[in-house]
Every structure is written in C-alpha cells, then in structure tokens.
Amino acid sequence: QVQLVESGGGLVQPGGSLRLSCAASGRTFSSYAMGWFRQGPGKEREFAGAISRSGSGQLYADSVKGRFTISRNNAKNTVYLQMNSLKPEDTAVYLCAARLLGRIARPNWASDASSGYDYWGQGTQVSVSS
C-alpha cells in the first residue's frame, strides 16, 4: 500500500511560516486526492485542507483558510502545506493522508473526514510558541 512520510515540522514563533512536505511511495500518486489533518495535544484530529489529483481543486477548513496553502507536485510524488501567519493554536501533529479516487463510490475528490482517506503518514510536529 501507499506509504506517506511527512517532514518539515519544527518550532516557529507566532506569525512565522513553515512548509510541510508529504512524500508518497509508489507510482500512482496522481490517483489520489490528498489531505492534511492535524491533532493537537489532548484534542481530536481535525481537517485542515485537501487538494485534488491535479491540484486545481483545494478545500480548507475555516480555521486555516487564507493562511495555509496546499500544493502538489505529482512528478515528485509530493504534496505540500505552506503555513503562514502561524498561531499558537496551530500547534499540532500534522498528518498527510491519501484518498483513492476513480471509483464509483467516490465521485467527488473532496473529503474533510478522516474516514474518507485510505492511507496515512506518521505525522510531523509543528509547534508555534514565543
């Protein structure tokens, strides 16, 4: 199955920026819509954003809209999460997830639910603190 590996997390000050990467194994990366989720300490996992197979479609949670941008490079089997204007409440483990498309049961690329994704990375820690 697909393996996803996140990287790029770290400690930043409020107002700072980070760029996360999610590298996927295999040759079928372009068959997947990709999502980013996050889970803070003692909190439930929540949706951050998603991107369609081509990258032309994007969906963001209200909490990050206007600050975060998802992009992908299918030639590199990589999806990115550019995070700007970071806030302390953005502190969380950020997880990359893959949603397999091209099936009748999934006519729409977009999903904001964990159950809509088939494969998950281990996560990368993002800490926003002064």
PDB file of all heavy atoms in Angstrom, residues 1-2 4 31-33 37 96-101 103 106 113-121:
ATOM      1  N   GLN A   1       0.824  -1.164   0.000  1.00  0.00           N
ATOM      2  CA  GLN A   1       0.000   0.000   0.000  1.00  0.00           C
ATOM      3  C   GLN A   1       0.883   1.247   0.000  1.00  0.00           C
ATOM      4  O   GLN A   1       2.086   1.166   0.167  1.00  0.00           O
ATOM      5  CB  GLN A   1      -0.941   0.004   1.199  1.00  0.00           C
ATOM      6  CG  GLN A   1      -0.251  -0.046   2.538  1.00  0.00           C
ATOM      7  CD  GLN A   1      -1.243  -0.191   3.672  1.00  0.00           C
ATOM      8  OE1 GLN A   1      -2.281  -0.837   3.528  1.00  0.00           O
ATOM      9  NE2 GLN A   1      -0.910   0.407   4.815  1.00  0.00           N
ATOM     10  N   VAL A   2       0.242   2.382  -0.169  1.00  0.00           N
ATOM     11  CA  VAL A   2       0.955   3.644  -0.248  1.00  0.00           C
ATOM     12  C   VAL A   2       1.550   3.994   1.104  1.00  0.00           C
ATOM     13  O   VAL A   2       0.895   3.871   2.142  1.00  0.00           O
ATOM     14  CB  VAL A   2       0.019   4.767  -0.720  1.00  0.00           C
ATOM     15  CG1 VAL A   2       0.734   6.120  -0.687  1.00  0.00           C
ATOM     16  CG2 VAL A   2      -0.482   4.476  -2.122  1.00  0.00           C
ATOM     17  N   LEU A   4       3.288   7.169   3.209  1.00  0.00           N
ATOM     18  CA  LEU A   4       3.374   8.610   3.232  1.00  0.00           C
ATOM     19  C   LEU A   4       4.302   9.034   4.359  1.00  0.00           C
ATOM     20  O   LEU A   4       4.182   8.542   5.479  1.00  0.00           O
ATOM     21  CB  LEU A   4       1.994   9.232   3.449  1.00  0.00           C
ATOM     22  CG  LEU A   4       0.895   8.821   2.473  1.00  0.00           C
ATOM     23  CD1 LEU A   4      -0.448   9.371   2.932  1.00  0.00           C
ATOM     24  CD2 LEU A   4       1.218   9.321   1.073  1.00  0.00           C
ATOM     25  N   SER A  31      -3.318   9.312  -8.643  1.00  0.00           N
ATOM     26  CA  SER A  31      -4.637   8.713  -8.488  1.00  0.00           C
ATOM     27  C   SER A  31      -5.316   9.130  -7.191  1.00  0.00           C
ATOM     28  O   SER A  31      -6.475   8.784  -6.968  1.00  0.00           O
ATOM     29  CB  SER A  31      -4.547   7.186  -8.529  1.00  0.00           C
ATOM     30  OG  SER A  31      -4.057   6.732  -9.779  1.00  0.00           O
ATOM     31  N   TYR A  32      -4.612   9.841  -6.359  1.00  0.00           N
ATOM     32  CA  TYR A  32      -5.101  10.181  -5.031  1.00  0.00           C
ATOM     33  C   TYR A  32      -5.319  11.671  -4.864  1.00  0.00           C
ATOM     34  O   TYR A  32      -4.470  12.488  -5.222  1.00  0.00           O
ATOM     35  CB  TYR A  32      -4.107   9.723  -3.958  1.00  0.00           C
ATOM     36  CG  TYR A  32      -3.919   8.231  -3.887  1.00  0.00           C
ATOM     37  CD1 TYR A  32      -2.991   7.592  -4.698  1.00  0.00           C
ATOM     38  CD2 TYR A  32      -4.665   7.475  -2.996  1.00  0.00           C
ATOM     39  CE1 TYR A  32      -2.821   6.221  -4.632  1.00  0.00           C
ATOM     40  CE2 TYR A  32      -4.496   6.103  -2.924  1.00  0.00           C
ATOM     41  CZ  TYR A  32      -3.569   5.485  -3.741  1.00  0.00           C
ATOM     42  OH  TYR A  32      -3.398   4.125  -3.672  1.00  0.00           O
ATOM     43  N   ALA A  33      -6.469  12.007  -4.307  1.00  0.00           N
ATOM     44  CA  ALA A  33      -6.589  13.304  -3.668  1.00  0.00           C
ATOM     45  C   ALA A  33      -5.838  13.231  -2.341  1.00  0.00           C
ATOM     46  O   ALA A  33      -5.718  12.161  -1.750  1.00  0.00           O
ATOM     47  CB  ALA A  33      -8.052  13.663  -3.431  1.00  0.00           C
ATOM     48  N   PHE A  37      -4.409  16.783   7.863  1.00  0.00           N
ATOM     49  CA  PHE A  37      -5.124  16.842   9.128  1.00  0.00           C
ATOM     50  C   PHE A  37      -4.149  17.233  10.220  1.00  0.00           C
ATOM     51  O   PHE A  37      -2.929  17.161  10.042  1.00  0.00           O
ATOM     52  CB  PHE A  37      -5.764  15.493   9.456  1.00  0.00           C
ATOM     53  CG  PHE A  37      -6.906  15.116   8.553  1.00  0.00           C
ATOM     54  CD1 PHE A  37      -6.674  14.665   7.266  1.00  0.00           C
ATOM     55  CD2 PHE A  37      -8.221  15.219   8.995  1.00  0.00           C
ATOM     56  CE1 PHE A  37      -7.715  14.316   6.428  1.00  0.00           C
ATOM     57  CE2 PHE A  37      -9.273  14.869   8.172  1.00  0.00           C
ATOM     58  CZ  PHE A  37      -9.025  14.421   6.891  1.00  0.00           C
ATOM     59  N   CYS A  96      -0.480  13.732   6.893  1.00  0.00           N
ATOM     60  CA  CYS A  96      -0.822  13.666   5.488  1.00  0.00           C
ATOM     61  C   CYS A  96      -1.654  12.412   5.235  1.00  0.00           C
ATOM     62  O   CYS A  96      -1.406  11.366   5.841  1.00  0.00           O
ATOM     63  CB  CYS A  96       0.471  13.640   4.668  1.00  0.00           C
ATOM     64  SG  CYS A  96       0.280  13.429   2.902  1.00  0.00           S
ATOM     65  N   ALA A  97      -2.634  12.512   4.350  1.00  0.00           N
ATOM     66  CA  ALA A  97      -3.495  11.380   4.050  1.00  0.00           C
ATOM     67  C   ALA A  97      -3.818  11.332   2.565  1.00  0.00           C
ATOM     68  O   ALA A  97      -3.876  12.371   1.896  1.00  0.00           O
ATOM     69  CB  ALA A  97      -4.790  11.464   4.863  1.00  0.00           C
ATOM     70  N   ALA A  98      -4.026  10.135   2.057  1.00  0.00           N
ATOM     71  CA  ALA A  98      -4.314   9.917   0.643  1.00  0.00           C
ATOM     72  C   ALA A  98      -5.692   9.302   0.465  1.00  0.00           C
ATOM     73  O   ALA A  98      -6.057   8.352   1.171  1.00  0.00           O
ATOM     74  CB  ALA A  98      -3.257   9.018   0.013  1.00  0.00           C
ATOM     75  N   ARG A  99      -6.436   9.832  -0.496  1.00  0.00           N
ATOM     76  CA  ARG A  99      -7.788   9.372  -0.799  1.00  0.00           C
ATOM     77  C   ARG A  99      -7.807   8.858  -2.242  1.00  0.00           C
ATOM     78  O   ARG A  99      -7.607   9.628  -3.184  1.00  0.00           O
ATOM     79  CB  ARG A  99      -8.775  10.524  -0.630  1.00  0.00           C
ATOM     80  CG  ARG A  99     -10.202  10.263  -1.074  1.00  0.00           C
ATOM     81  CD  ARG A  99     -11.062  11.484  -0.754  1.00  0.00           C
ATOM     82  NE  ARG A  99     -12.369  11.476  -1.376  1.00  0.00           N
ATOM     83  CZ  ARG A  99     -13.444  10.881  -0.873  1.00  0.00           C
ATOM     84  NH1 ARG A  99     -13.346  10.203   0.274  1.00  0.00           N
ATOM     85  NH2 ARG A  99     -14.597  10.946  -1.501  1.00  0.00           N
ATOM     86  N   LEU A 100      -8.039   7.570  -2.394  1.00  0.00           N
ATOM     87  CA  LEU A 100      -8.034   6.966  -3.718  1.00  0.00           C
ATOM     88  C   LEU A 100      -9.312   7.319  -4.462  1.00  0.00           C
ATOM     89  O   LEU A 100     -10.422   7.105  -3.966  1.00  0.00           O
ATOM     90  CB  LEU A 100      -7.883   5.446  -3.616  1.00  0.00           C
ATOM     91  CG  LEU A 100      -7.894   4.671  -4.931  1.00  0.00           C
ATOM     92  CD1 LEU A 100      -6.722   5.093  -5.807  1.00  0.00           C
ATOM     93  CD2 LEU A 100      -7.856   3.178  -4.663  1.00  0.00           C
ATOM     94  N   LEU A 101      -9.155   7.839  -5.658  1.00  0.00           N
ATOM     95  CA  LEU A 101     -10.281   8.215  -6.500  1.00  0.00           C
ATOM     96  C   LEU A 101     -10.386   7.276  -7.696  1.00  0.00           C
ATOM     97  O   LEU A 101      -9.669   6.292  -7.801  1.00  0.00           O
ATOM     98  CB  LEU A 101     -10.123   9.672  -6.948  1.00  0.00           C
ATOM     99  CG  LEU A 101      -9.994  10.683  -5.818  1.00  0.00           C
ATOM    100  CD1 LEU A 101      -9.789  12.086  -6.372  1.00  0.00           C
ATOM    101  CD2 LEU A 101     -11.209  10.645  -4.905  1.00  0.00           C
ATOM    102  N   ARG A 103     -13.167   5.581  -8.433  1.00  0.00           N
ATOM    103  CA  ARG A 103     -14.126   4.526  -8.134  1.00  0.00           C
ATOM    104  C   ARG A 103     -15.531   5.103  -8.050  1.00  0.00           C
ATOM    105  O   ARG A 103     -15.719   6.278  -7.704  1.00  0.00           O
ATOM    106  CB  ARG A 103     -13.759   3.804  -6.844  1.00  0.00           C
ATOM    107  CG  ARG A 103     -13.665   4.718  -5.636  1.00  0.00           C
ATOM    108  CD  ARG A 103     -13.266   3.973  -4.375  1.00  0.00           C
ATOM    109  NE  ARG A 103     -11.917   3.445  -4.450  1.00  0.00           N
ATOM    110  CZ  ARG A 103     -11.308   2.836  -3.436  1.00  0.00           C
ATOM    111  NH1 ARG A 103     -11.929   2.671  -2.284  1.00  0.00           N
ATOM    112  NH2 ARG A 103     -10.070   2.376  -3.589  1.00  0.00           N
ATOM    113  N   ARG A 106     -16.783   6.965  -5.001  1.00  0.00           N
ATOM    114  CA  ARG A 106     -16.177   8.258  -4.704  1.00  0.00           C
ATOM    115  C   ARG A 106     -16.190   9.151  -5.936  1.00  0.00           C
ATOM    116  O   ARG A 106     -15.151   9.377  -6.558  1.00  0.00           O
ATOM    117  CB  ARG A 106     -14.753   8.077  -4.184  1.00  0.00           C
ATOM    118  CG  ARG A 106     -14.688   7.434  -2.804  1.00  0.00           C
ATOM    119  CD  ARG A 106     -13.260   7.253  -2.334  1.00  0.00           C
ATOM    120  NE  ARG A 106     -13.201   6.777  -0.967  1.00  0.00           N
ATOM    121  CZ  ARG A 106     -12.087   6.452  -0.334  1.00  0.00           C
ATOM    122  NH1 ARG A 106     -10.922   6.548  -0.954  1.00  0.00           N
ATOM    123  NH2 ARG A 106     -12.124   6.025   0.921  1.00  0.00           N
ATOM    124  N   ALA A 113     -13.328  14.428   6.067  1.00  0.00           N
ATOM    125  CA  ALA A 113     -13.447  13.439   7.132  1.00  0.00           C
ATOM    126  C   ALA A 113     -12.307  12.437   7.067  1.00  0.00           C
ATOM    127  O   ALA A 113     -11.886  12.020   5.989  1.00  0.00           O
ATOM    128  CB  ALA A 113     -14.781  12.712   7.033  1.00  0.00           C
ATOM    129  N   SER A 114     -11.829  12.032   8.226  1.00  0.00           N
ATOM    130  CA  SER A 114     -10.761  11.043   8.288  1.00  0.00           C
ATOM    131  C   SER A 114     -11.146   9.753   7.585  1.00  0.00           C
ATOM    132  O   SER A 114     -10.303   9.106   6.950  1.00  0.00           O
ATOM    133  CB  SER A 114     -10.391  10.745   9.743  1.00  0.00           C
ATOM    134  OG  SER A 114      -9.866  11.892  10.383  1.00  0.00           O
ATOM    135  N   SER A 115     -12.433   9.388   7.679  1.00  0.00           N
ATOM    136  CA  SER A 115     -12.907   8.155   7.077  1.00  0.00           C
ATOM    137  C   SER A 115     -12.860   8.178   5.562  1.00  0.00           C
ATOM    138  O   SER A 115     -12.981   7.133   4.923  1.00  0.00           O
ATOM    139  CB  SER A 115     -14.336   7.856   7.545  1.00  0.00           C
ATOM    140  OG  SER A 115     -15.219   8.904   7.174  1.00  0.00           O
ATOM    141  N   GLY A 116     -12.680   9.345   4.978  1.00  0.00           N
ATOM    142  CA  GLY A 116     -12.607   9.459   3.537  1.00  0.00           C
ATOM    143  C   GLY A 116     -11.247   9.179   2.949  1.00  0.00           C
ATOM    144  O   GLY A 116     -11.082   9.237   1.733  1.00  0.00           O
ATOM    145  N   TYR A 117     -10.283   8.862   3.784  1.00  0.00           N
ATOM    146  CA  TYR A 117      -8.912   8.663   3.344  1.00  0.00           C
ATOM    147  C   TYR A 117      -8.443   7.240   3.610  1.00  0.00           C
ATOM    148  O   TYR A 117      -8.839   6.608   4.594  1.00  0.00           O
ATOM    149  CB  TYR A 117      -7.988   9.682   4.004  1.00  0.00           C
ATOM    150  CG  TYR A 117      -8.305  11.081   3.543  1.00  0.00           C
ATOM    151  CD1 TYR A 117      -9.326  11.808   4.133  1.00  0.00           C
ATOM    152  CD2 TYR A 117      -7.608  11.656   2.485  1.00  0.00           C
ATOM    153  CE1 TYR A 117      -9.652  13.083   3.682  1.00  0.00           C
ATOM    154  CE2 TYR A 117      -7.925  12.923   2.034  1.00  0.00           C
ATOM    155  CZ  TYR A 117      -8.948  13.630   2.633  1.00  0.00           C
ATOM    156  OH  TYR A 117      -9.269  14.890   2.180  1.00  0.00           O
ATOM    157  N   ASP A 118      -7.587   6.755   2.736  1.00  0.00           N
ATOM    158  CA  ASP A 118      -7.178   5.361   2.756  1.00  0.00           C
ATOM    159  C   ASP A 118      -5.817   5.122   3.391  1.00  0.00           C
ATOM    160  O   ASP A 118      -5.585   4.059   3.971  1.00  0.00           O
ATOM    161  CB  ASP A 118      -7.162   4.819   1.324  1.00  0.00           C
ATOM    162  CG  ASP A 118      -8.508   4.951   0.644  1.00  0.00           C
ATOM    163  OD1 ASP A 118      -9.433   4.205   1.026  1.00  0.00           O
ATOM    164  OD2 ASP A 118      -8.639   5.800  -0.267  1.00  0.00           O
ATOM    165  N   TYR A 119      -4.931   6.072   3.286  1.00  0.00           N
ATOM    166  CA  TYR A 119      -3.567   5.907   3.780  1.00  0.00           C
ATOM    167  C   TYR A 119      -3.142   7.144   4.552  1.00  0.00           C
ATOM    168  O   TYR A 119      -3.524   8.272   4.215  1.00  0.00           O
ATOM    169  CB  TYR A 119      -2.597   5.648   2.620  1.00  0.00           C
ATOM    170  CG  TYR A 119      -2.999   4.486   1.756  1.00  0.00           C
ATOM    171  CD1 TYR A 119      -3.587   4.693   0.520  1.00  0.00           C
ATOM    172  CD2 TYR A 119      -2.798   3.179   2.185  1.00  0.00           C
ATOM    173  CE1 TYR A 119      -3.972   3.622  -0.273  1.00  0.00           C
ATOM    174  CE2 TYR A 119      -3.184   2.109   1.403  1.00  0.00           C
ATOM    175  CZ  TYR A 119      -3.768   2.336   0.179  1.00  0.00           C
ATOM    176  OH  TYR A 119      -4.147   1.267  -0.604  1.00  0.00           O
ATOM    177  N   TRP A 120      -2.320   6.911   5.571  1.00  0.00           N
ATOM    178  CA  TRP A 120      -1.904   7.981   6.467  1.00  0.00           C
ATOM    179  C   TRP A 120      -0.416   7.939   6.736  1.00  0.00           C
ATOM    180  O   TRP A 120       0.187   6.864   6.821  1.00  0.00           O
ATOM    181  CB  TRP A 120      -2.643   7.866   7.799  1.00  0.00           C
ATOM    182  CG  TRP A 120      -4.109   8.118   7.672  1.00  0.00           C
ATOM    183  CD1 TRP A 120      -5.064   7.233   7.274  1.00  0.00           C
ATOM    184  CD2 TRP A 120      -4.785   9.344   7.945  1.00  0.00           C
ATOM    185  NE1 TRP A 120      -6.298   7.831   7.279  1.00  0.00           N
ATOM    186  CE2 TRP A 120      -6.160   9.122   7.690  1.00  0.00           C
ATOM    187  CE3 TRP A 120      -4.370  10.600   8.391  1.00  0.00           C
ATOM    188  CZ2 TRP A 120      -7.114  10.131   7.855  1.00  0.00           C
ATOM    189  CZ3 TRP A 120      -5.308  11.598   8.558  1.00  0.00           C
ATOM    190  CH2 TRP A 120      -6.666  11.351   8.292  1.00  0.00           C
ATOM    191  N   GLY A 121       0.166   9.114   6.884  1.00  0.00           N
ATOM    192  CA  GLY A 121       1.541   9.204   7.329  1.00  0.00           C
ATOM    193  C   GLY A 121       1.628   9.192   8.839  1.00  0.00           C
ATOM    194  O   GLY A 121       0.617   9.132   9.548  1.00  0.00           O
TER     195      GLY A 121
END
